[in-house]
Amino acid sequence: MLRVGVNGYGTIGKRVADAVAAQPDMEVAGVAKTTPNFEAEAAHRRGYPVHAAREDRRDAFDDAGVPVAGDLDDLVVESDIVVDCTPAGIGAENRAVYERHDTPALYQGGEDADVADASFNARANYDEVAASDAEHVRVVSCNTTGLSRVLAPLDEQYGVEKARATLVRRGGDPSQPDRGPINDILPDPVTVPSHHGPDVNTVLPDLAVDTMGVTVPATLMHLHSVNVTLETEAEAAAVAETLTDESRVFLVPGDARVAGPAHLKEYAQDAGRPRGDLWENCVWAESIAVEGRDLYFFQAIHQESDVVPENVDAIRAVCTDTEAAESVVETNRALGVGFGESEETRRVAADGEGAAASADD
């Protein structure tokens, strides 16, 4: 069993901890928090050992009645790998702690790419990261994850001459009342490209991609308007089949009458998803259109959860000899990723990789 420490127990950290706990080959060594707030109390109730990320805050945990298992150094020592889910910029500061104890670490997409030895997306470059022996790996951001999941198979199947995406981004998560705008629509950034295109190139270095960003007063999800010039012509139905075969892409059927992210969140909640999470890209099937070699579609990305399965796969890529397809199937099965069994799952099961894991699907 891999012992995984989670440093930071906020929007991403609590989801990563639960995802790790669900895996048959992993366990949560503990979580680190700076403040004994409601999330720290929730971690304790879930049975995760809570560590004080800062020694000078330890008394505050005692005062709040949250038992403290140790400090951050203790958690790092007890872990085979640490997943850093702290706010952007803090992960870079924490790298020295992980290095001091010779403990591998994962970082989130809010960090600059140079915080790590490699950036990671399971669909784009699992094998490359696994073969590199990198011990400090950055899981790319929610938007970059979403773009990589669709651009990688499109490039493999048809070739991508140029990809362009406009990212309509939520102003803040539901738990971030200090974010905005309250009543505006902001080019963010006003310069082109936004950082997302270059970030895609950290996992798909040969792909030509440009991105533009817009921030709106919403909290639910991001919405991408994607245009891809393919190297070969394709029919819309064939593209839909290509995307359907991706286990972390959900083609939203037209008869579901899903108008937007609000309906998608309701869809996830009705499906019994924890916290209403959508780990998959949500691509509207009816939006897929092709004119010549130009492909168009809309997709929605749940910023709170789509990187969670990627973190689990990155743990295996860094710490084990598990192959990409086997890890993806195992992660998906443990979490319940996929509103329907994908061709990828069927193919891996048929090949014998993860067949036992797929038996209950």
Side-chain angles (χ1 to χ4, degrees):
M1 297 285 284
L2 284 170
R3 289 181 56 79
V4 181
V6 180
N7 186 9
Y9 194 78
T11 298
I12 300 299
K14 60 189 175 185
R15 288 172 165 85
V16 168
D18 289 353
V20 166
Q23 305 304 310
D25 55 344
M26 301 178 192
E27 62 182 359
V28 178
V31 303
K33 283 283 293 178
T34 58
T35 305
N37 62 2
F38 68 94
E39 290 167 325
E41 293 175 357
H44 173 60
R45 288 197 303 272
R46 286 180 179 270
Y48 302 144
V50 177
H51 293 67
R54 291 175 49 180
E55 184 62 31
D56 63 348
R57 298 282 183 87
R58 187 164 184 155
D59 289 345
F61 283 83
D62 293 335
D63 294 342
V66 178
V68 175
D71 59 19
L72 178 58
D73 284 271
D74 295 326
L75 177 59
V76 175
V77 169
E78 294 166 8
S79 302
D80 296 313
I81 186 170
V82 174
V83 183
D84 190 296
C85 300
T86 59
I90 305 301
E93 298 176 5
N94 290 334
R95 175 165 175 159
V97 180
Y98 310 138
E99 289 181 321
R100 183 166 66 244
H101 298 290
D102 197 26
T103 301
L106 304 182
Y107 307 86
Q108 303 309 305
E111 303 293 334
D112 292 337
D114 60 8
V115 71
D117 307 321
S119 290
F120 177 89
N121 172 262
R123 185 59 180 83
N125 70 339
Y126 182 110
D127 292 332
E128 290 86 345
V129 171
S132 71
D133 294 324
E135 292 195 342
H136 294 267
V137 171
R138 169 180 167 267
V139 177
V140 293
S141 72
C142 53
N143 283 308
T144 304
T145 293
L147 289 171
S148 300
R149 283 178 179 168
V150 291
L151 294 178
L154 290 173
D155 193 35
E156 292 169 3
Q157 187 71 27
Y158 308 105
V160 170
E161 181 178 306
K162 180 79 171 184
R164 307 166 188 85
T166 299
L167 285 60
V168 182
R169 302 160 61 198
R170 60 89 179 101
D173 292 341
S175 62
Q176 296 175 316
D178 57 330
R179 296 284 293 267
I182 294 175
N183 182 29
D184 209 346
I185 301 171
L186 303 176
D188 184 17
V190 71
T191 54
V192 179
S194 68
H195 72 272
H196 306 92
D199 204 27
V200 169
N201 289 141
T202 66
V203 294
L204 292 168
D206 298 326
L207 196 80
V209 53
D210 282 339
T211 54
M212 301 174 70
V214 178
T215 300
V216 298
T219 64
L220 294 171
M221 300 176 74
H222 302 301
L223 182 68
H224 296 178
S225 172
V226 182
N227 165 223
V228 182
T229 302
L230 305 172
E231 292 181 349
T232 59
E233 292 190 4
E235 298 293 329
V239 172
E241 184 175 352
T242 295
L243 295 180
T244 298
D245 288 346
E246 297 296 314
S247 64
R248 292 178 184 169
V249 176
F250 169 44
L251 244 65
V252 183
D255 57 10
R257 302 179 71 176
V258 171
H263 281 170
L264 286 170
K265 289 290 290 179
E266 192 81 1
Y267 192 109
Q269 290 165 353
D270 287 348
R273 289 289 184 86
R275 302 184 178 94
D277 284 346
L278 290 147
W279 302 292
E280 308 87 348
N281 293 31
C282 299
V283 177
W284 276 269
E286 289 181 304
S287 74
I288 298 174
V290 179
E291 295 182 6
R293 292 187 293 116
D294 278 327
L295 164 67
Y296 305 87
F297 61 88
F298 288 113
Q299 67 174 2
I301 303 298
H302 186 213
Q303 74 283 355
E304 296 176 286
S305 66
D306 82 320
V307 301
V308 171
E310 307 298 325
N311 274 272
V312 175
D313 290 330
I315 292 169
R316 292 198 184 97
V318 172
C319 295
T320 76
D321 295 327
T322 307
E323 295 186 356
E326 183 180 354
S327 179
V328 168
V329 168
E330 190 63 68
T331 300
N332 289 355
R333 175 185 175 275
L335 292 181
V337 173
F339 288 103
E341 187 181 46
S342 71
E343 179 60 31
E344 178 188 10
T345 301
R346 293 191 293 272
R347 182 170 60 250
V348 173
D351 290 342
E353 296 179 354
S358 300
D360 296 332
D361 287 354

